[in-house]
Amino acid sequence: MKKETAFIIGFLVLTIGTAALIWTFALPNLKPVTFPQVASGEIEVGPMRHKRALTAEEVSTINTWLADHKGGWGPLSRTPPSSGDSRVALKDTNGQEVLDLTLWTGISTADWNATVFVESPDGSKVHVETFDEKQFAPLRLLVDRHKFNRTAFP
């Protein structure tokens, strides 16, 4: 085998191998996220974390919202400025916690407004997405039922 042929084959193996390795890690983040159906939940709101159970209508709203927003979720790439304005713990029909939503509704710095974190209960998977006000409105209504001081700039 000539040197040129060996060089070309080595170059192709290196190039294709590198691309395959990158896609192996990138592909899971490009798939739509699947969310389980939730049957109940509890919401904590504001800096004092006032708790209340979600109504059946609110659970239905969350199920519909999650079904409509399966794409665009990215992995957490930087630390948020605070713990958010609200946290929603969602449970399945067996009463087992399946999802945690963290919502930013206030002025937690401009780039965190209307942001949602979806987290598995054990914290192993965290997805984040920032929405426009129209898309975020159903979740904002859940939080705005409680009056509280919005998060200030850190």
Side-chain angles (χ1 to χ4, degrees):
M1 184 180 325
K2 293 183 179 181
K3 279 185 173 180
E4 294 83 14
T5 307
F7 177 74
I8 290 173
I9 290 172
F11 178 76
L12 287 173
V13 167
L14 180 67
T15 308
I16 293 170
T18 302
L21 184 65
I22 291 170
W23 276 107
T24 302
F25 289 102
L27 199 56
N29 292 326
L30 299 175
K31 293 180 189 174
V33 179
T34 56
F35 299 115
Q37 282 291 108
V38 294
S40 64
E42 187 175 72
I43 186 169
E44 298 177 352
V45 179
M48 302 305 290
R49 295 295 183 198
H50 299 289
K51 284 186 179 184
R52 70 172 175 85
L54 296 173
T55 66
E57 179 185 328
E58 290 170 333
V59 170
S60 174
T61 299
I62 289 175
N63 277 324
T64 303
W65 190 89
L66 289 172
D68 292 342
H69 296 91
K70 292 183 179 180
W73 295 93
L76 180 61
S77 59
R78 58 192 172 122
T79 306
S82 69
S83 59
D85 295 319
S86 179
R87 186 155 178 94
V88 184
L90 301 170
K91 299 177 181 178
D92 62 9
T93 54
N94 298 329
Q96 184 176 0
E97 192 172 334
V98 291
L99 284 178
D100 286 323
L101 302 179
T102 304
L103 311 173
W104 274 267
T105 61
I107 57 167
S108 305
T109 72
D111 57 342
W112 289 97
N113 290 342
T115 299
V116 179
F117 278 53
V118 176
E119 189 176 344
S120 60
D122 62 358
S124 63
K125 293 183 182 178
V126 180
H127 298 283
V128 63
E129 179 66 24
T130 299
F131 298 94
D132 63 34
E133 286 301 319
K134 183 179 178 185
Q135 292 174 316
F136 189 73
L139 298 179
R140 182 179 297 282
L141 287 175
L142 294 175
V143 177
D144 285 346
R145 291 186 180 180
H146 287 286
K147 296 295 180 200
F148 67 97
N149 294 328
R150 299 287 191 245
T151 310
F153 289 104

